[in-house]
């Protein structure tokens, strides 16, 4: 900054350009802090929503799907029916029995030069390893999938729940799960496409699925929600 500019600044204060830039920077910083706060804010994990007078204001509730192991035992027989090309209906209990164990570890990375301790790419999203299998719940005509995980953000290792709620499509003859609403902790990430995409990719990259399930999924004609069950239709 020149001597004259310094004198002008002292006499007249910052320029409009500096004021606008400062306002934009403050606004961006505020948004960033708000996003981090909502991601790290605790979510109440419950089996059902509390009574109205017991609901905590501004608390985000994650309502789990039913996971009665006794009712879920029939899933193995239904998987055999699917593999044989038969259509079946499955309940929340059966889905949660199938995926209720610990999530499978991610595939081992390919061999290469070992990175330096603490090294991390600047644009690499924070790690989000799952701490258990996903939980499924049917909500009206949509399927809610919740995945307990942890996130290493700004040096803090925080437990949180990633929740997707969506419907099933069948574009091009292949069944797909289309996300309508997405939560990362208490953050409504569906309003922030970049964050939603980054988290979805990070979570999927950390999962492995048995080949038999992948094969069944690829053969499905459609998935529809009928009351409290999913109908898996084979060709």
């Amino acid at each position: 900054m020149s001597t004259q500019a310094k004198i002008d600044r002292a006499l007249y204060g910052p320029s409009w350009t500096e004021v606008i830039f400062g306002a934009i920077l403050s606004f961006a910083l505020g948004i960033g802090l708000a996003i981090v706060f909502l991601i790290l804010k605790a979510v109440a994990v419950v089996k059902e929503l509390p009574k109205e007078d017991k609901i905590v204001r501004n608390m985000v509730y994650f309502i789990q799907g039913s996971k009665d192991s006794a009712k879920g035992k029939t899933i193995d027989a239904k998987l055999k029916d699917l593999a044989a090309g038969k259509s079946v209906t499955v309940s929340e209990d059966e889905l949660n029995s199938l995926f209720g164990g610990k999530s499978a570890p991610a595939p081992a990375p390919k061999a290469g030069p070992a990175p330096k301790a603490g090294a991390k790419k600047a644009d690499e999203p924070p790690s989000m390893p799952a701490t258990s299998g996903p939980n499924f719940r049917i909500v009206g005509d949509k399927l809610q999938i919740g995945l307990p995980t942890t996130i290493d953000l700004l040096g803090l290792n925080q437990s949180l729940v990633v929740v997707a709620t969506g419907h099933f499509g069948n574009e091009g003859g292949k069944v797909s799960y289309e996300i309508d609403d997405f939560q990362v902790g208490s953050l409504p990430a569906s309003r922030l496409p970049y964050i939603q995409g980054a988290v979805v990719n990070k979570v999927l990259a950390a999962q492995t699925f048995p080949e038999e399930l992948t094969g069944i999924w690829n053969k499905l004609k459609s998935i529809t929600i009928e009351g409290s069950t999913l109908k898996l239709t084979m060709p």
Side-chain angles (χ1 to χ4, degrees), residues 147-168:
L147 184 68
T149 183
T150 59
I151 185 171
D152 183 5
L153 189 62
L154 301 179
L156 298 173
N157 191 267
Q158 178 72 33
S159 298
L160 55 84
V161 181
V162 175
V163 184
T165 304
H167 65 279
F168 292 97

Side-chain angles (χ1 to χ4, degrees), residues 128 162 164 179 182 194-206:
M128 297 185 69
V162 175
I179 297 175
F182 195 72
Y194 172 77
I195 291 180
Q196 175 176 322
V199 173
V200 169
N201 290 335
K202 197 73 176 178
V203 169
L204 289 178

